[in-house]
Amino acid sequence: MSESTEGPGPAEPSLDEQIAAYQREFRDLDPQVEQVVSALGRLNRRMNVAYGRQLAALGISNAEWEVLKTLVLSGAPYRLGPGELAKRLGLTPAAMTHRIDRMAGEGLVTRDRDENNRVRVIVELTDEGRAKWLEAMRMATDFEEDLLQDLSGEERGLLGELLVRLLRRVEHAQPDAGGRLTDLD
């Protein structure tokens, strides 16, 4: 009887190998374009894994991070109604309610009635939620500095400008693509 030596599966092909295979199967491929978009896709995927690991180390999920970030971006006093949170995150009200329930139970946010309108509920970032957000930002900053360490300040600036140009092109061509795709949630 032999032992199973199953590992994580076959290694991902290098970018060059991927592009060569694509060119073999699709002759109209522009290898420069494919190199850019494939590298961006791989970088995004690997960065998301790294950020996910950092958040897990803090005991929060990516979904919780998104709520913390949205509350911080709203500005002091870091308060929004659940409907506004759901809209900004591209979630259904039911999904938002579930997320808020979990986060309130963890002490990351509070949910109280609006003093000026007792029908309206307000979700507010707690000190603990803000502390988690700040620690996640510290960890992300260290990771991002390490990621870009081989680029000069000028190269970082140029890369940033080029990526923003690409982002604007996509936003112009796909103005409704900023939210989540409901079939992928």
Side-chain angles (χ1 to χ4, degrees):
M1 190 185 286
S2 66
E3 286 185 38
S4 174
T5 57
E6 288 184 34
E12 184 175 37
S14 71
L15 280 178
D16 290 340
E17 291 169 335
Q18 178 180 324
I19 293 166
Y22 284 180
Q23 284 182 299
R24 181 184 68 237
E25 301 298 327
F26 183 68
R27 299 210 184 275
D28 292 340
L29 182 83
D30 181 332
Q32 287 181 316
V33 171
E34 189 59 35
Q35 182 183 38
V36 169
V37 297
S38 293
L40 284 172
R42 288 182 184 203
L43 179 61
N44 181 57
R45 192 170 61 248
R46 285 166 174 78
M47 289 177 68
N48 284 335
V49 168
Y51 291 136
R53 288 177 179 153
Q54 291 174 344
L55 294 174
L58 293 173
I60 60 175
S61 68
N62 187 57
E64 291 168 331
W65 162 254
E66 291 292 329
V67 173
L68 298 177
K69 177 178 74 172
T70 301
L71 288 169
V72 168
L73 289 174
S74 74
Y78 315 116
R79 305 171 70 192
L80 289 171
E84 182 61 25
L85 269 171
K87 180 179 175 185
R88 291 183 187 196
L89 292 171
L91 298 172
T92 65
M96 191 73 252
T97 298
H98 177 71
R99 198 172 289 185
I100 293 167
D101 288 346
R102 189 174 62 244
M103 293 179 72
E106 295 171 359
L108 301 173
V109 298
T110 59
R111 177 180 35 207
D112 295 308
R113 296 276 175 210
D114 186 340
E115 294 172 5
N116 300 321
N117 178 350
R118 301 296 295 162
V119 175
R120 186 169 183 246
V121 173
I122 297 291
V123 178
E124 185 171 350
L125 189 64
T126 64
D127 289 342
E128 183 176 346
R130 183 158 168 75
K132 292 273 188 180
W133 179 82
L134 285 168
E135 186 57 27
M137 289 299 293
R138 283 185 196 96
M139 293 170 80
T141 298
D142 290 345
F143 168 72
E144 292 157 0
E145 285 292 328
D146 186 57
L147 176 69
L148 297 175
Q149 71 179 332
D150 296 332
L151 301 180
S152 69
E154 184 178 315
E155 289 171 323
R156 290 178 185 196
L158 179 58
L159 178 61
E161 289 174 22
L162 294 172
L163 291 172
V164 168
R165 281 175 47 193
L166 292 176
L167 178 61
R168 286 184 182 142
R169 166 73 69 182
V170 170
E171 289 173 342
H172 178 74
Q174 304 286 329
D176 62 338
R180 289 177 170 68
L181 297 174
T182 56
D183 60 340
L184 297 179
D185 278 342

